[in-house]
Amino acid sequence: MLPGVGVFGTGRTVRALVPLLQKEGFPVQAVWGRTREEAECLANELDIPFSTSQSDDVLLHPEVHLVCILTPPPHTRQIAVKALGIGKNVISGQAATLTDACKMLTAARYYPQLMSIINNALRFLPAFILMKRLLGEGYCGTLQVCEARVYGGSLLSQSYGWAWEELMGGGGLHTIGSCIIDLLSHMTGERAVRAHGMLRTFVRQGGTGGGIRSVTADDYACFQLLMGGGIVCSVTLNFNLPGADLHEVMLVGSSGRIVARGTELYGQRNTVHHEELLLSNSPSGAGPAVMGMIAMVTQLRMSFQAQDDRRSWARHPVSMAATFEDGLYVQTVVDAIKRSNRTGEWEAVEVRNHDVDPNQNHRTPTN
Amino acid sequence: MLPGVGVFGTGRTVRALVPLLQKEGFPVQAVWGRTREEAECLANELDIPFSTSQSDDVLLHPEVHLVCILTPPPHTRQIAVKALGIGKNVISGQAATLTDACKMLTAARYYPQLMSIINNALRFLPAFILMKRLLGEGYCGTLQVCEARVYGGSLLSQSYGWAWEELMGGGGLHTIGSCIIDLLSHMTGERAVRAHGMLRTFVRQGGTGGGIRSVTADDYACFQLLMGGGIVCSVTLNFNLPGADLHEVMLVGSSGRIVARGTELYGQRNTVHHEELLLSNSPSGAGPAVMGMIAMVTQLRMSFQAQDDRRSWARHPVSMAATFEDGLYVQTVVDAIKRSNRTGEWEAVEVRNHDVDPNQNHRTPTN
């Protein structure tokens, strides 16, 4: 049976996700917004029966068994930890800070029966599922280099908000880079050991209404990761290319390479003289974020539908999802890159498990 | 009047360059090869009247007034410095080491009337000439980021040779990266202040006949340059992609971007929703290296042809060429990247002019 869904946030991702959930048969029961008006407006628009600006109203809603947290990053941890504590399944965005990611992991480990997934839809994208399979089958031989590039227009909101502030989880590295970092470790099965990065904020004044506030979030990031097994990753993110829409991930190995361009997958073995199309575009023309989300919602449906009650779920259909453990790893890498940008040096990536004690009640240190 | 040309080297570049010179009317009079047989074989193939394995035989040849040095890098300095000392005009490949580049610059400064050009044909490629012009006209606004990527197959010779050895000037960074580093400073009008890089040799065994020798030259390089004016450059070279033939240079600014893909040029202003083709491919289908060489030889002809004697040349037609001063700068950056690869840190790029004393007879310290 499909659970009722409670949604936190009123942004673009929510506007994309809710119709997909509804289409798959999930009853979306409640929405939380920063203000009552924002929540109400979205509820009307997307046909959601209940809206509020009080987070508890969604968390305690009797029809809500699955919580989707797509708020500004600084709110994520508090809602995620509380939702798990109340016994709800959780799909959450990346936390804002390392401390938050640690606390979320503690909560997830404390309630291992509950679903706790980081919302990185790229893992569900058919192109990347096929890429991972082919890599495992030896298409590339020994993996040497991963390269990823994402180019696009500005990530800033028109008026001042969290997206302007590095410390609130704004910037290309945190919002888009996180998904790429997670994807690269998912693809390769390895984690970064050291990181080096360079961040820039070329556009200091966003939209209108910024007043004296200037942007601190990066709009350009270029970083390298040294992964286990000697694999080298190089990632470039540039959000000063309005109208561009490039999303490319390439894996190069000793005997071939595979490249995902948008939602398409191409490959070339070293013995062959031309690139082959391994997976073609979806007819809808939607980009990797939306296509990944569609695939993720389908897997979510499969995870819940065969169950007897609305709270139970099967692990297999969502086994490729990013866990809160992955979330902590990603946040650790993001922090190492930011540190490297300041020091100019390679920074070690040390996931600090000792901060995360599964036997400690996580609710005590909250705030 | 077009001067007689003496060519040093028997490699692929020579095989491409000599027919172009002949086509433009340059009498190619003499060729030097490492062995008498190699030189003779090339002379027969390309219809060159004189061949030798003694470098002085070419340098002192009475019909040779322009010397093209396309030997393995460790030979470059010795021949270039001697040629200038004898009063010949010189087009030369990049030196093998910083010391060599210094000595070459000293010689070039000592004979300012002689032509002394570093053979970076990319500067002559129509796409880059147009790119530089548009950049100057403000197409991109304030320049923020330069990105360059070159992907291709192995640079190694089948049997053991200089291309295998980092210390002999082998590797993607030295052979291809040098041209890109030079091009980026030529395009932007700025020089690198600091450099950070990561080099890898994924393929340790080249071709056949390597025996116990293993490759030390890089086949993967990823480096960043901080240029004057706050411009960031990011360059990726990967020569583990047989069959790939990617040569892309992108400049991103505050109001638009320009991208050279192979010999084509594209651009997009931020106010416009689509990319425009600024310069289309040549019908020949030749790559940027060959097309650049064709353009360079044409400019060389124009530089010499209006002159009264075979030794004189006009500066204007070759004013975009890389000088030996540029060569020293490029070698300094290459060295900083190699140092950074070892230390893991950003390395300062300090062109050491104090080593280069124009009042000192350069022939004394040679070897």
Side-chain angles (χ1 to χ4, degrees):
Chain A
M1 288 169 79
L2 296 184
V5 179
V7 175
F8 286 84
T10 54
R12 268 190 311 166
T13 315
V14 171
R15 283 189 156 75
L17 181 64
V18 168
L20 296 175
L21 287 166
Q22 290 166 331
K23 205 173 150 200
E24 289 282 343
F26 286 92
V28 179
Q29 300 285 8
V31 61
W32 170 93
R34 207 171 43 94
T35 65
R36 208 191 170 96
E37 293 69 35
E38 272 178 33
E40 231 175 73
C41 172
L42 192 92
N44 289 333
E45 189 184 323
L46 298 177
D47 203 18
I48 302 172
F50 178 77
S51 69
T52 178
S53 62
Q54 304 291 318
S55 58
D56 283 359
D57 291 352
V58 176
L59 291 177
L60 298 170
H61 194 291
E63 296 298 314
V64 167
H65 300 294
L66 172 63
V67 171
C68 297
I69 306 166
L70 302 162
T71 56
H75 297 146
T76 304
R77 183 259 308 154
Q78 198 183 9
I79 300 167
V81 170
K82 205 163 188 181
L84 289 167
I86 296 169
K88 311 275 170 147
N89 294 310
V90 170
I91 300 173
S92 171
Q94 186 71 25
T97 66
L98 204 52
T99 315
D100 282 4
C102 280
K103 287 178 179 164
M104 283 169 64
L105 177 54
T106 307
R109 284 191 180 161
Y110 202 74
Y111 304 102
Q113 285 82 356
L114 294 175
M115 176 185 278
S116 54
I117 286 179
I118 296 285
N119 171 38
N120 180 10
L122 291 181
R123 286 191 178 217
F124 291 87
L125 190 72
F128 289 120
I129 289 175
L130 180 56
M131 184 185 254
K132 190 170 163 64
R133 207 191 76 205
L134 290 170
L135 194 68
E137 290 169 6
Y139 190 100
C140 295
T142 307
L143 193 58
Q144 298 167 342
V145 173
C146 307
E147 272 195 51
R149 292 185 301 147
V150 182
Y151 298 160
S154 175
L155 299 172
L156 298 176
S157 46
Q158 269 297 309
S159 58
Y160 174 80
W162 68 272
W164 292 33
E165 292 284 357
E166 186 231 322
L167 292 175
M168 292 174 82
L173 173 62
H174 193 279
T175 51
I176 309 292
S178 290
C179 296
I180 299 288
I181 293 164
D182 178 57
L183 184 74
L184 290 174
S185 86
H186 179 58
M187 286 292 128
T188 61
E190 298 284 351
R191 287 193 164 179
V193 178
R194 301 177 80 194
H196 188 273
M198 173 167 62
L199 305 173
R200 287 290 181 278
T201 305
F202 286 109
V203 175
R204 292 257 162 213
Q205 288 297 325
T208 54
I212 55 159
R213 278 168 165 144
S214 79
V215 178
T216 59
D218 59 280
D219 51 20
Y220 173 81
C222 168
F223 58 91
Q224 294 83 45
L225 306 177
L226 299 183
M227 312 288 279
I231 303 165
V232 168
C233 295
S234 164
V235 180
T236 309
L237 313 171
N238 196 339
F239 300 100
N240 294 305
L241 290 94
D245 191 17
L246 183 103
H247 195 284
E248 195 177 282
V249 178
M250 178 170 76
L251 309 185
V252 182
S254 56
S255 63
R257 63 263 192 187
I258 316 180
V259 197
R261 300 193 182 101
T263 61
E264 291 183 318
L265 194 70
Y266 297 85
Q268 184 167 349
R269 294 181 201 263
N270 287 357
T271 47
V272 177
H273 289 287
H274 59 277
E275 201 173 71
E276 55 177 332
L277 178 64
L278 298 168
L279 189 75
S280 61
N281 235 329
S282 79
S284 74
V290 171
M291 288 302 294
M293 214 185 278
I294 293 171
M296 184 175 78
V297 172
T298 305
Q299 295 301 114
L300 278 176
R301 175 179 55 71
M302 290 163 66
S303 173
F304 284 105
Q305 70 181 3
Q307 306 298 312
D308 292 335
D309 75 300
R310 293 184 186 276
R311 265 166 295 190
S312 303
W313 55 289
R315 288 182 191 269
H316 175 70
V318 290
S319 61
M320 76 277 267
T323 62
F324 280 20
E325 193 125 22
D326 296 317
L328 175 61
Y329 159 74
V330 168
Q331 192 61 43
T332 307
V333 176
V334 166
D335 268 35
I337 293 168
K338 287 184 177 179
R339 218 162 52 238
S340 168
N341 177 53
R342 287 191 299 270
T343 64
E345 295 180 18
W346 285 93
E347 294 288 340
V349 176
E350 282 160 2
V351 180
R352 298 188 304 170
N353 279 312
H354 60 270
D355 271 3
V356 184
D357 176 1
N359 292 318
Q360 188 194 339
N361 188 322
H362 62 277
R363 273 172 291 190
T364 318
T366 294
N367 266 8
Chain B
M1 287 168 79
L2 296 185
V5 179
V7 176
F8 286 84
T10 53
R12 268 190 310 166
T13 315
V14 172
R15 284 188 155 76
L17 181 64
V18 168
L20 297 175
L21 287 166
Q22 290 166 332
K23 206 174 151 199
E24 289 283 342
F26 285 93
V28 179
Q29 300 285 7
V31 61
W32 170 92
R34 207 171 43 92
T35 64
R36 208 191 169 94
E37 292 69 37
E38 272 178 33
E40 231 175 72
C41 173
L42 192 91
N44 288 334
E45 189 184 322
L46 299 177
D47 203 17
I48 301 172
F50 178 78
S51 69
T52 178
S53 62
Q54 304 292 318
S55 58
D56 283 359
D57 291 351
V58 176
L59 291 177
L60 297 170
H61 194 291
E63 297 297 314
V64 167
H65 300 292
L66 172 62
V67 170
C68 297
I69 306 166
L70 302 162
T71 55
H75 297 147
T76 304
R77 184 260 308 153
Q78 198 182 6
I79 300 168
V81 169
K82 204 162 189 180
L84 289 167
I86 296 169
K88 311 275 170 149
N89 293 310
V90 170
I91 301 172
S92 171
Q94 186 71 25
T97 66
L98 203 52
T99 315
D100 282 4
C102 280
K103 287 180 179 162
M104 283 168 64
L105 177 54
T106 307
R109 284 190 179 162
Y110 201 74
Y111 303 103
Q113 285 82 354
L114 294 175
M115 176 184 278
S116 54
I117 286 178
I118 295 286
N119 171 39
N120 180 11
L122 290 181
R123 284 191 177 217
F124 292 87
L125 191 72
F128 290 120
I129 288 175
L130 180 56
M131 183 185 256
K132 188 170 164 64
R133 207 192 77 206
L134 290 170
L135 193 69
E137 290 170 6
Y139 190 101
C140 295
T142 307
L143 193 58
Q144 298 167 343
V145 174
C146 308
E147 272 195 50
R149 292 184 301 147
V150 182
Y151 298 160
S154 174
L155 299 172
L156 298 176
S157 45
Q158 269 298 309
S159 59
Y160 174 79
W162 67 272
W164 292 35
E165 291 284 356
E166 186 232 322
L167 292 175
M168 293 174 82
L173 174 62
H174 194 279
T175 51
I176 309 293
S178 289
C179 295
I180 299 289
I181 292 164
D182 178 57
L183 184 74
L184 290 173
S185 88
H186 179 58
M187 287 291 128
T188 62
E190 298 284 351
R191 287 193 165 180
V193 179
R194 300 177 81 196
H196 188 273
M198 174 167 61
L199 305 174
R200 286 290 181 279
T201 305
F202 286 109
V203 175
R204 291 257 162 213
Q205 288 298 326
T208 53
I212 55 159
R213 279 167 164 144
S214 80
V215 178
T216 59
D218 59 280
D219 51 20
Y220 173 80
C222 168
F223 59 91
Q224 294 83 45
L225 306 177
L226 300 183
M227 312 288 279
I231 303 165
V232 168
C233 295
S234 165
V235 179
T236 309
L237 313 171
N238 196 338
F239 300 100
N240 294 305
L241 288 95
D245 191 17
L246 183 103
H247 194 284
E248 195 177 282
V249 177
M250 179 169 77
L251 309 184
V252 183
S254 57
S255 63
R257 64 262 191 188
I258 316 180
V259 198
R261 299 193 183 101
T263 61
E264 290 182 318
L265 194 69
Y266 296 86
Q268 184 166 351
R269 292 181 202 265
N270 288 356
T271 48
V272 177
H273 289 286
H274 60 276
E275 201 174 69
E276 55 177 332
L277 178 64
L278 298 168
L279 188 75
S280 61
N281 234 329
S282 78
S284 73
V290 171
M291 288 302 294
M293 213 185 278
I294 292 171
M296 184 175 78
V297 172
T298 305
Q299 294 302 115
L300 277 176
R301 175 179 54 71
M302 290 164 66
S303 173
F304 283 105
Q305 70 182 2
Q307 307 297 311
D308 293 335
D309 75 300
R310 293 185 186 275
R311 266 165 296 190
S312 303
W313 55 288
R315 288 182 191 270
H316 176 70
V318 291
S319 61
M320 75 278 265
T323 62
F324 280 21
E325 194 124 21
D326 295 317
L328 175 61
Y329 159 74
V330 167
Q331 192 60 43
T332 307
V333 176
V334 166
D335 268 35
I337 294 168
K338 287 184 177 179
R339 219 161 52 235
S340 168
N341 177 55
R342 287 191 298 270
T343 63
E345 294 179 18
W346 284 94
E347 294 289 338
V349 176
E350 281 159 4
V351 180
R352 298 188 303 169
N353 279 311
H354 61 269
D355 270 2
V356 183
D357 177 0
N359 292 319
Q360 190 194 337
N361 188 323
H362 62 278
R363 272 172 293 190
T364 318
T366 295
N367 265 9

